[in-house]
Amino acid sequence: MANATKYVDGAAGNDANSGNSPGAGNAYATIGAAISAISGGGNIVYVKASATYTLTSTQTITWAGDFTDGSNLIEGYTTTPGARDGRPTFTTATNNVPLFTSSVLNYMTFRHLKFTNTAGTRAAAVVGGGASATLTLRIEDCLSDGCTYLFDGTTRAANHLSVIGCGVINGTGLALNGGVNASGAPDQYIGNYVYNMTGTAIVSNTSAVTANIVGNVFASCSYGVQDTNTIRTSLLILLNNTFVDIANDAVRTAANTGSLSIGLAGNLFYGIGGYGVRFTTDPVVENNNRLLFNYGNFFGAMTSGQYSGLAAGLWDVTGLSDPFVSRAGQDYRLNSTAGAGALVRAARLPLTFPGASFSAYADGGAVQHQDSGGGGGGGLMGCAPINAILG
């Protein structure tokens, strides 16, 4: 059944119901019943946050979206379907059990859900599978707590992976988009909060991958962003990200025999155990690599230095004191202290436009400050603010 809308209610539902409307007597009790009832594209499954959905085996999605019927969606709610007013929790305490996988995750969106894992040997929230790269997978406004990765593409990478406005905490990393049959399609990581990772926040070890990494906070991770593939044609764009308390290099690429194009601007690096940005080969002259741009990044408390294999960027700011409201309290808003957060506030370049009578005053890093009388804001590019993601 394509173009269906199904409802899951763990407290009031029953898998013997039709699943065609919310509430007792209509909704399913489990996500597995909804998955089994539909096929094709254009489907929506609304999951009510009325109970914790404990899984002992991986939920395998057997249907794929397409150009004819459209994408598929699993979305959480508490009171009103479609309102995104509360995330239902999918969890497992069973060893080596990812929560969701599919051989056909094509044109699939997970939205406004919470994924947790308490097993002794943990796995990812979503795992790519099947005979080819997953096409157009989106994970939006979700929270992953204790899973190894929000997305793990070790077996099958995602082609057009978008992770938008998510919180990923207490795991190994946000995404491991590697393995087999990836291509040059772009991945997007926008407006995410990644905290307390034992590994690298974002690892790409596939060939021919483009990654747009914009407005994310990467905090207390082993590495921030790491491209480990050695034979590839890649494009890596990093804009207005915050890297804080990274044990090793914040951004690192492998020595390669392909071409690698890099663009950096407005990123904030503080408390970095290695380099802020480390390229094993110089992106300007080695192996056909290309530096697209490098402007106006911010650096402080750098163990090894700002750059390795790359010259300093125009308008870079170095020597920052602690710019955050409270690193110990994981509050990565900018303080207004001279020589610290004040150097990052309203300093995102360009400050002036040649020939114009006006100036720009955006902050560096991912977390923009709010002036008195300002609006509540929805976060970067409309994404949920961090406190809403973690709520």
Side-chain angles (χ1 to χ4, degrees), residues 51-349:
T52 296
Y53 298 87
T54 301
L55 308 179
T56 57
S57 61
T58 303
Q59 301 300 294
T60 300
I61 296 173
T62 57
W63 23 274
D66 52 44
F67 285 117
T68 301
D69 294 315
S71 297
N72 291 308
L73 169 66
I74 297 177
E75 181 175 293
Y77 77 101
T78 292
T79 303
T80 305
R84 300 186 297 281
D85 52 5
R87 297 180 187 84
T89 297
F90 292 97
T91 189
T92 187
T94 306
N95 288 336
N96 299 307
V97 170
L99 298 175
F100 291 91
T101 190
S102 175
S103 59
V104 285
L105 271 174
N106 298 346
Y107 305 100
M108 180 70 203
T109 299
F110 296 91
R111 182 184 295 154
H112 199 63
L113 306 170
K114 182 177 180 178
F115 308 110
T116 70
N117 194 310
T118 61
T121 304
R122 301 183 181 184
V126 180
V127 172
S132 61
T134 296
L135 299 173
T136 315
L137 170 63
R138 292 187 292 268
I139 306 176
E140 303 170 345
D141 189 23
C142 290
L143 172 61
S144 173
D145 184 355
C147 301
T148 54
Y149 290 93
L150 178 59
F151 174 78
D152 185 345
T154 302
T155 304
R156 297 294 172 191
N159 184 339
H160 289 290
L161 170 66
S162 297
V163 182
I164 313 293
C166 292
V168 185
I169 61 177
N170 305 322
T172 303
L174 182 152
L176 174 58
N177 192 17
V180 189
N181 289 341
S183 72
D187 294 343
Q188 282 69 235
Y189 305 95
I190 301 175
N192 301 293
Y193 175 61
V194 186
Y195 171 74
N196 194 29
M197 298 291 114
T198 60
T200 302
I202 299 175
V203 183
S204 176
N205 60 355
T206 61
S207 61
V209 169
T210 297
N212 300 305
I213 302 171
V214 182
N216 304 280
V217 175
F218 303 107
S220 297
C221 303
S222 179
Y223 289 87
V225 176
Q226 194 171 17
D227 181 358
T228 62
N229 192 64
T230 58
I231 304 174
R232 42 94 165 89
T233 302
S234 302
L235 174 64
L236 183 63
I237 301 295
L238 295 107
L239 302 175
N240 270 73
N241 300 285
T242 294
F243 297 88
V244 55
D245 294 330
I246 305 298
N248 299 288
D249 303 319
V251 179
R252 181 173 182 170
T253 67
N256 71 90
T257 58
S259 62
L260 174 62
S261 297
I262 302 293
L264 302 156
N267 301 287
L268 171 58
F269 302 87
Y270 191 85
I272 308 301
Y275 288 97
V277 184
R278 181 178 181 181
F279 295 103
T280 305
T281 52
D282 189 321
V284 179
V285 297
E286 298 286 345
N287 297 324
N288 298 317
N289 291 334
R290 297 291 181 266
L291 175 64
L292 299 180
F293 55 86
N294 184 24
Y295 301 119
N297 298 293
F298 302 81
F299 299 90
M302 312 296 295
T303 299
S304 300
Q306 288 79 45
Y307 300 97
S308 174
L310 177 64
L314 187 64
W315 302 307
D316 278 354
V317 175
T318 62
L320 289 175
S321 298
D322 188 341
F324 303 111
V325 171
S326 175
R327 286 167 67 199
Q330 294 85 56
D331 187 340
Y332 301 115
R333 291 175 297 165
L334 297 172
N335 61 41
S336 56
T337 304
L343 288 176
V344 187
R345 287 180 172 225
R348 170 77 159 82
L349 297 175

